[in-house]
Amino acid sequence: MDRLRQRADFIAVANGPRINGPAFVLQSRRRDDDGPVRVGFTVTKKIGTATERNRIRRRLREVVKRTDRGFMLPNSDYVLVGRRAALSRDFAVMLGDLRSALDRIARRSPKPD
């Protein structure tokens, strides 16, 4: 799994389907290439101080690391937009939230030809 780092990639993913959750919003986009799954993380300044935003980002990264790659569609980009609830939400519940969101995105995405 690779990371999204370019602003253009984040903007492209923002135009795709999204699933809202209490701790994060999951955005996705299918790509036309055969590259690996890429994941990006973002937390806006209105969420809190830099320390809180960094803690949210670390928790989201760890949730993605512990999620089975089988839930993620190949040739896709994902962005997790952190929410303040990610600071206090139970980690096991966040894992379940991500799996559920990935499943819902997979059902919503068009099948590749």
Side-chain angles (χ1 to χ4, degrees), residues 1-112:
M1 175 186 61
D2 287 347
R3 292 276 307 275
L4 286 178
R5 298 191 189 273
Q6 302 283 326
R7 183 172 190 272
D9 292 332
F10 280 87
I11 291 171
V13 174
N15 294 327
R18 71 183 61 218
I19 301 294
N20 293 313
F24 57 84
V25 175
L26 177 68
Q27 302 171 336
S28 72
R29 175 186 95 125
R30 294 294 298 252
R31 294 190 324 267
D32 294 331
D33 61 15
D34 290 331
V37 172
R38 300 186 304 177
V39 180
F41 305 91
T42 185
V43 183
T44 63
K45 282 188 174 182
K46 69 180 180 180
I47 298 299
T49 64
T51 304
E52 293 167 333
R53 292 193 311 268
N54 288 334
R55 185 175 297 134
I56 291 169
R57 216 175 346 264
R58 281 194 307 269
R59 292 193 81 195
L60 293 176
R61 275 196 307 262
E62 192 61 28
V63 165
V64 169
K65 283 181 190 175
R66 293 187 186 197
T67 300
D68 182 21
R69 300 294 176 262
F71 286 97
M72 296 183 181
L73 297 171
N75 310 326
S76 295
D77 291 339
Y78 296 98
V79 172
L80 276 81
V81 181
R83 291 185 168 169
R84 187 154 185 84
L87 283 172
S88 58
R89 192 153 176 90
D90 185 56
F91 193 78
V93 174
M94 282 179 57
L95 275 170
D97 290 346
L98 180 59
R99 289 183 185 128
S100 172
L102 288 168
D103 185 48
R104 289 170 55 195
I105 287 275
R107 284 186 273 142
R108 198 183 284 184
S109 294
K111 302 292 183 219

